[in-house]
Amino acid sequence: MQHSPAAEAAGTARATEPAEPVLPSRPLPCDSGLHTAYDTALLDLDGVVYAGGEAVPHAVDSLAAARESGLRLAYVTNNAARTPQTVAAHLTRLGVPAAAEEVITSAQAVARLIAEQVPRGARVLAVGADGLRVALEERGLTVVETADEEPAAVVQGYGGPAMEWGRLIEAAIAVQRGVPWFASNTDLTIPSGRGIAPGNGSAVEVVRIATRWLRTPPEPQVAGKPLPPMHRESILRTGARRPLVVGDRLDTDIEGAHAGRVDSLLVLTGVTDAAQLLAARPVHRPTYVARDLRSLLESQPEVTGDADSGFGCRGWLAHAGADQLTLEGDGDPVDGLRALCGAAWSAAGECRLDTENALARLGF
């Protein structure tokens, strides 16, 4: 179903449905610009396109140029609170023209998951905001407010700061009664303009705590990134054949790309910093690494070498020693970071490497 230009460049072309995803041991090269190697960019929003409600530097111009070149853009978010129409309007105000059809939310993914398991028109106790309610109704499901209305399913999605505690009580009672339990996503936290706030995963934990006394404690079926239902929803809605996942989080965006067996680009404009990238587990390692969305229009350099000779990228050479990473050379700091990724990922599991000095030299 999906094709991986990066895997092909690395000599490991993927079959239509490979048994296992290809896990990179270094950032991979792409001789052409990413906008020509892929047909659709599946872009995360917060930390990639905008931050605190405002556009990330270079995002507006880069996305406009990528679209003009023929790359299709789709915006994939775990936030179930807002409708696609609201998200598209926000993007358009920022200077990134978008249609509702180009926005895929975890609310849509979980609504499809529920609709596949209950009859059309079934009652669903929804604990969340408008985005979740609209997605359920679009699937022909009937939204109800309480556990006493005999729902066929209960679903939680991020409800925003105005969500009432009573909604969680209704969800907990329904789950205690054996009603199938769903969640749009389980992100414990979300970024806000004032700091880190509790996410939908925190609300899911409240219901879990309230039901853990049961003989068999229930677990929700989760749709959002990094799990397959979200990637499936993105592919079904976009029709992408050569998608590239673009994100700023290792445990949602990048892991989700691995779960979907497609390539990924990590941009350093969001929550993941350079030290976290170097320490990434195999399923959290992106195909490509870049500073920001300008990389969609650029080729990706090759990281050469091995553990013995060191890992080079353009003017940089990185080695993994007994207990630390070392770096020599000069040039673009992101190229130095790519070389460090090769060295750190090759040594992963052998020791905990000290990365502070090497990263300080790059300004990270």
Side-chain angles (χ1 to χ4, degrees):
M1 182 172 66
Q2 291 94 33
H3 171 73
S4 167
E8 197 167 89
T12 54
R14 299 175 185 172
T16 303
E17 289 293 341
E20 295 292 339
V22 175
L23 301 177
S25 60
R26 67 188 72 189
L28 297 183
C30 181
D31 292 337
S32 62
L34 297 177
H35 64 299
T36 63
Y38 299 90
D39 67 356
T40 307
L42 302 177
L43 296 129
D44 183 49
L45 287 172
D46 209 340
V48 175
V49 179
Y50 54 67
E54 299 300 321
V56 166
H58 308 293
V60 172
D61 291 344
S62 298
L63 291 174
R67 185 190 291 275
E68 182 67 23
S69 75
L71 182 67
R72 295 174 57 199
L73 306 179
Y75 304 96
V76 184
T77 176
N78 260 2
N79 191 327
R82 297 192 295 172
T83 66
Q85 290 79 7
T86 301
V87 174
H90 179 200
L91 289 169
T92 300
R93 287 196 301 273
L94 294 179
V96 182
E101 294 75 20
E102 295 173 312
V103 178
I104 301 97
T105 73
S106 63
Q108 294 171 319
V110 79
R112 185 187 297 271
L113 194 61
I114 295 169
E116 292 171 342
Q117 300 180 43
V118 303
R120 184 173 180 82
R123 297 185 182 95
V124 178
L125 172 56
V127 180
D130 287 346
L132 182 60
R133 292 171 174 271
V134 169
L136 292 168
E137 290 169 353
E138 287 178 346
R139 287 287 164 195
L141 300 168
T142 302
V143 176
V144 298
E145 300 292 328
T146 72
D148 294 336
E149 294 175 87
E150 299 183 349
V154 56
V155 59
Q156 292 181 256
Y158 181 66
M163 188 177 71
E164 298 176 357
W165 189 258
R167 308 296 298 134
L168 297 177
I169 294 175
E170 295 300 323
I173 291 172
V175 173
Q176 289 172 28
R177 293 175 178 176
V179 177
W181 183 21
F182 297 82
S184 64
N185 67 297
T186 52
D187 295 26
L188 291 173
T189 61
I190 58 171
S192 77
R194 299 168 59 200
I196 300 299
N200 189 55
S202 296
V204 170
E205 286 301 310
V206 170
V207 175
R208 180 179 282 115
I209 291 169
T211 58
R212 66 184 177 186
W213 57 269
L214 295 170
R215 182 182 297 273
T216 304
E219 285 292 328
Q221 295 184 52
V222 183
K225 296 183 283 188
L227 297 173
M230 188 67 172
H231 183 72
R232 180 180 63 145
E233 191 72 20
S234 301
I235 297 303
L236 288 172
R237 288 182 177 271
T238 63
R241 299 190 62 81
R242 291 179 290 116
L244 176 69
V245 170
V246 184
D248 70 310
R249 295 186 70 116
L250 301 178
D251 59 349
T252 54
D253 304 316
I254 306 307
E255 185 175 338
H258 284 304
R261 300 170 184 173
V262 298
D263 293 337
S264 61
L265 166 67
L266 180 80
V267 291
L268 300 171
T269 50
V271 300
T272 299
D273 62 26
Q276 291 169 331
L277 175 62
L278 296 182
R281 298 188 293 118
V283 295
H284 290 167
R285 296 172 186 168
T287 313
Y288 310 110
V289 175
R291 188 180 299 279
D292 52 49
L293 286 178
R294 287 176 293 182
S295 59
L296 286 175
L297 305 166
E298 301 169 350
S299 62
Q300 298 296 303
E302 183 178 10
V303 177
T304 61
D306 54 37
D308 293 328
S309 62
F311 292 83
C313 185
R314 291 175 172 158
W316 297 97
L317 185 65
H319 289 86
D323 57 3
Q324 68 176 341
L325 289 178
T326 60
L327 182 69
E328 55 188 77
D330 195 12
D332 186 334
V334 178
D335 289 331
L337 180 60
R338 293 173 177 128
L340 286 172
C341 284
W345 296 353
S346 71
E350 298 178 11
C351 59
R352 292 183 60 85
L353 296 172
D354 182 353
T355 63
E356 184 176 355
N357 290 337
L359 290 177
R361 180 169 184 181
L362 297 174
F364 288 111

